[in-house]
Amino acid sequence: MPLDNAADISTLVQPGRVHRRVYGDPEIFELEMEQIFGRVWIYVGHESQIRNPGDFVTTRLGRRPMVLTRHTDGEIHVIHNQCAHRGAMVVAEDAGNADEFVCCYHGWTYDTTGKLIRVPLQHGYPSHFDPDDPDTAMVRAPRVDSYRGFIFASLAKDGPSLTDFLGYMTTSFDDMVDRAPDGEIEIAGGVFKHAFDGNWKLYLENLCDAAHPLFVHQSSIEAASEQDDGAHSDGAGEIAVRQMRQNGAPYKMWQEQIGIWTYPNGHSFLGDYHDDEKLVAAKRNKVFTEYIAAMETKKGKEETKRVLEVTRWNSNIYPNISFMSQFRQFRVVHPVSVNRTEVFNYMFRMKGAPEKMFEDTVAFSNVTNGTGSLVLTDDLETYGRIGVGVNSGGAEWIEIGRGYETDSPDSHGGVQGKDSTSEVYIRNMYDAWLGYMTAA
Amino acid sequence: MSRLAPDDICAFLINEARTLDERRWEDWLSLFADDGWYWVPIEEGQTDPRTTVSLMYDDRLLLETRVRRLKAGKLHAQSPISRTTRTIGNVTVEDETNGVLTIRSKFQMIEYRRNLQRLFGGTLLHGLAEDGDSFVICWKKVELVNCDSMMDGLNVPF
Ligand code: FES
Ligand SMILES: [Fe+2]
């Protein structure tokens, strides 16, 4: 059936289930690109990528290729990477520093706010041609804002403020930044770029899924369980090996020791996970001891305790990021087509922390989140299989009902699952999805 | 200079490629020294595997873990398995320091899995030490021409 109106969309989301078309229908995907990626706050980059005037980095808003820039006056802009003349992509490098952007085709030139500043052979144009028209430009996203260094853009002229949009989830960004002894973090260590033949929504739906590791990651659990705990030859990798084993924790642990919290606009986090005794950055670890000392020197004992008591695992900011403060991993999801998605996995370095902690971040990423890692590769396989399944015309409904009867309000205006295995965070994303998709 | 002839070096590299194509993972692992390492950088000219991520960067213990995973009962990402075929050429000896030869070669690998064929290519750098009539791999670095491209998952070592 063609989608005629909001009422049709509404039939696709029901209590505890969604229609498989939301993952496979190109028409729905097109609507998502307008109603969601074309309107809501979308993460586009971090301030550490554009520290100085003239710095730029290419990014995306949904499928739109954008350039994130810092203008001479220090203002941040997000401009469409398309020439106003005959449409060529203007900026070809991934990152750099420039006073202006010159199109390769006929030399139309833009400043770092996207404004057209030079047009060679400017004669004989009809009266509508106005180089000062903001639409005759590398068109700027109307709203750009940042929270503690994390930059978002929205293609809607009006709407909720960024902090209203993030709501209680601002605390997850605080958790990322507050852990740095010097109070500052920076993107560092390269980026993994991976892709799969599946819908973009699958990614965040997996990142807070506490029920999947035991099945999906069986191979790395098995391989890591057999590795002895002795000193690793160079120290690298050990942390990640422990993480692989942790994925094999019995359901009892996921049910008794870990929780899932969800908030308006589709956001959520999986929490209470990192009891350091159980997991990776063990408090007895020498580097961690040095780190705590650095924290206490800079922030005092009390503040250090407060910061480190936050034990969140993945935080999802709907629709396109998922990050984790413990190992400073940060994934950005880019929809490509209804059944193709690309994901960038970045890392952050904490200023003032021992450099070995950053090396552990890199090692962790290599082994668990990398394109050739022992863990993520099984997730990618799973997304691909879902891509095949939901497009194969079988059962109409996708069940997302686990924990439905036992969800309960939390004290910050959200809804929490009875335990971490609840699919409440998926239901919560679909509440937001439905709101966006049916908005006038 | 090495007692072993250039032909021996080529034969060693060809045999190594064959263990991988034939998915004899343990045989492949046994070619590495006990403190050997294996590295597939993600950036052209990447100098440091500690402070920049890599497509793969395994010391011997992690390499053993990688191989155990390839043999694990429920390896979804290799169900079905990848079939590969590798060709090696342009072999040159670049250096010999403290008994370790640096060997440079070019490779192409075709990987086929579930209706999809992928082509990989690049430069292999091997640090080889003589060991009886053959060599052990002290280190192996794989420089893919598309190291920084968008990719679906990589499960088979190069
Ligand atoms: S297309 Fe850019 S100047 Fe002509
Ligand atoms: Fe996973």
Side-chain angles (χ1 to χ4, degrees):
Chain A
M1 76 179 172
L3 289 163
D4 289 332
N5 52 46
D8 290 340
I9 296 276
S10 304
T11 61
L12 301 175
V13 179
Q14 296 185 1
R17 63 182 198 173
V18 293
H19 197 276
R20 62 169 147 72
R21 283 178 61 190
V22 306
Y23 299 100
D25 187 331
E27 206 184 332
I28 289 177
F29 179 81
E30 290 302 323
L31 200 60
E32 288 173 341
M33 292 306 103
E34 293 313 312
Q35 297 285 101
I36 301 176
F37 286 86
R39 286 190 184 183
V40 310
W41 287 107
I42 303 291
Y43 172 83
V44 288
H46 189 260
E47 282 182 4
S48 61
Q49 294 172 291
I50 48 161
R51 264 187 245 277
N52 303 307
D55 283 355
F56 68 87
V57 58
T58 55
T59 183
R60 300 189 210 176
L61 265 175
R63 286 173 304 184
R64 294 171 165 89
M66 309 296 284
V67 189
L68 173 63
T69 69
R70 191 182 288 277
H71 191 54
T72 38
D73 61 3
E75 280 289 300
I76 292 171
H77 298 276
V78 176
I79 61 180
H80 203 121
N81 194 0
Q82 180 195 333
C83 182
H85 180 216
R86 277 162 47 194
M89 175 176 85
V90 179
V91 179
E93 300 82 26
D94 291 342
N97 184 281
D99 297 335
E100 53 186 36
F101 300 123
V102 184
C103 180
C104 72
Y105 201 179
H106 315 91
W108 286 31
T109 302
Y110 305 85
D111 71 12
T112 49
T113 71
K115 184 179 169 8
L116 182 57
I117 51 173
R118 221 163 34 245
V119 177
L121 305 174
Q122 196 186 141
H123 57 78
Y125 281 89
S127 57
H128 77 254
F129 179 70
D130 172 12
D132 290 326
D133 181 343
D135 287 332
T136 307
M138 290 174 74
V139 179
R140 228 188 287 173
R143 291 191 302 156
V144 178
D145 200 357
S146 67
Y147 182 77
R148 300 204 69 179
F150 297 87
I151 307 165
F152 292 74
S154 161
L155 291 172
K157 284 195 180 61
D158 312 296
S161 70
L162 179 60
T163 44
D164 282 352
F165 167 76
L166 296 174
Y168 185 64
M169 294 302 289
T170 52
T171 53
S172 282
F173 291 100
D174 295 340
D175 180 36
M176 279 289 272
V177 181
D178 290 346
R179 283 173 176 264
D182 290 351
E184 204 187 325
I185 57 175
E186 61 177 0
I187 284 193
V191 54
F192 283 116
K193 297 182 240 177
H194 49 256
F196 58 89
D197 287 332
N199 188 263
W200 64 273
K201 295 187 288 299
L202 298 174
Y203 206 84
L204 293 199
E205 287 174 15
N206 185 52
L207 270 272
C208 283
D209 184 331
H212 88 281
L214 204 49
F215 281 87
V216 169
H217 300 301
Q218 249 172 299
S219 63
S220 52
I221 294 165
E222 195 179 313
S225 308
E226 287 170 38
Q227 175 166 332
D228 86 67
D229 253 335
H232 213 254
S233 46
D234 70 350
E238 185 192 353
I239 272 175
V241 166
R242 293 176 64 180
Q243 171 63 45
M244 287 193 269
R245 274 191 226 134
Q246 181 69 7
N247 279 335
Y251 279 146
K252 198 166 141 45
M253 194 220 38
W254 301 99
Q255 289 178 316
E256 289 176 2
Q257 298 185 28
I258 300 170
I260 178 88
W261 285 264
T262 75
Y263 296 96
N265 302 323
H267 315 319
S268 58
F269 66 80
L270 195 60
D272 276 3
Y273 188 22
H274 257 65
D275 174 341
D276 288 316
E277 294 303 319
K278 283 200 294 287
L279 203 53
V280 271
K283 283 188 177 127
R284 282 167 304 209
N285 172 303
K286 185 170 151 286
V287 183
F288 209 69
T289 313
E290 280 171 40
Y291 163 67
I292 291 174
M295 282 287 279
E296 288 179 347
T297 307
K298 291 279 167 59
K299 302 191 175 221
K301 270 201 159 51
E302 211 172 301
E303 173 65 0
T304 300
K305 185 163 172 289
R306 184 196 70 77
V307 168
L308 297 182
E309 267 171 8
V310 178
T311 56
R312 289 180 197 175
W313 191 239
N314 289 328
S315 288
N316 284 350
I317 305 296
Y318 194 74
N320 81 326
I321 50 175
S322 180
F323 59 93
M324 185 241 261
S325 66
Q326 308 282 336
F327 288 99
R328 283 76 60 191
Q329 307 285 311
F330 196 95
R331 292 96 155 194
V332 187
V333 181
H334 297 299
V336 174
S337 67
V338 66
N339 204 48
R340 183 76 176 166
T341 304
E342 297 177 346
V343 179
F344 285 51
N345 187 111
Y346 298 91
M347 282 128 300
F348 282 91
R349 175 192 268 124
M350 298 187 290
K351 297 262 182 86
E355 181 64 6
K356 179 69 171 65
M357 276 190 95
F358 181 63
E359 292 179 14
D360 285 346
T361 291
V362 167
F364 181 91
S365 208
N366 283 344
V367 178
T368 66
N369 290 341
T371 316
S373 69
L374 311 186
V375 179
L376 172 106
T377 41
D378 279 320
D379 292 307
L380 292 177
E381 168 71 8
T382 306
Y383 306 140
R385 291 196 196 185
I386 298 170
V388 172
V390 294
N391 288 299
S392 65
E396 299 261 314
W397 294 95
I398 302 297
E399 296 296 336
I400 51 168
R402 195 172 54 246
Y404 183 80
E405 297 289 346
T406 47
D407 295 346
S408 62
D410 100 314
S411 49
H412 304 284
V415 176
Q416 76 183 89
K418 180 158 172 282
D419 64 60
S420 71
T421 66
S422 171
E423 283 162 337
V424 61
Y425 69 100
I426 305 181
R427 294 188 284 278
N428 182 60
M429 288 195 266
Y430 276 103
D431 288 347
W433 184 88
L434 194 57
Y436 292 138
M437 292 290 276
T438 56
Chain B
M1 247 335 254
S2 162
R3 282 184 298 112
L4 294 166
D7 279 358
D8 297 317
I9 294 169
C10 289
F12 180 84
L13 295 181
I14 288 167
N15 177 60
E16 188 215 347
R18 185 167 172 175
T19 60
L20 288 165
D21 280 347
E22 295 178 355
R23 298 185 293 279
R24 289 187 283 116
W25 310 120
E26 303 232 285
D27 289 350
W28 179 61
L29 186 62
S30 72
L31 300 175
F32 280 79
D34 287 346
D35 59 353
W37 49 267
Y38 171 76
W39 184 24
V40 188
I42 201 167
E43 291 176 358
E44 186 182 26
Q46 183 177 341
T47 52
D48 189 355
R50 306 283 170 84
T51 54
T52 296
V53 289
S54 301
L55 291 169
M56 300 179 191
Y57 173 57
D58 300 344
D59 64 3
R60 171 74 195 222
L61 275 184
L62 204 48
L63 198 56
E64 287 171 9
T65 304
R66 185 179 293 279
V67 162
R68 270 201 304 279
R69 173 172 177 261
L70 285 167
K71 293 166 40 199
K74 279 276 187 284
L75 175 50
H76 307 303
Q78 281 289 282
S79 169
I81 51 125
S82 296
R83 292 199 289 266
T84 62
T85 179
R86 293 153 215 253
T87 308
I88 305 235
N90 305 14
V91 181
T92 53
V93 179
E94 300 288 303
D95 180 50
E96 178 175 0
T97 305
N98 300 328
V100 178
L101 297 166
T102 299
I103 310 297
R104 185 175 188 271
S105 62
K106 294 289 176 180
F107 84 103
Q108 285 178 8
M109 179 182 104
I110 293 168
E111 179 198 34
Y112 172 77
R113 177 172 188 259
R114 195 189 279 140
N115 301 319
L116 185 72
Q117 186 160 296
R118 292 197 287 182
L119 179 61
F120 296 94
T123 303
L124 298 179
L125 292 157
H126 282 81
L128 299 183
E130 279 185 30
D131 181 36
D133 314 340
S134 186
F135 298 97
V136 287
I137 302 174
C138 301
W139 52 268
K140 176 178 179 179
K141 183 178 172 193
V142 182
E143 298 175 345
L144 296 176
V145 289
N146 66 336
C147 58
D148 54 358
S149 77
M150 186 70 63
M151 283 185 214
D152 290 41
L154 300 172
N155 287 287
V156 180
F158 300 96

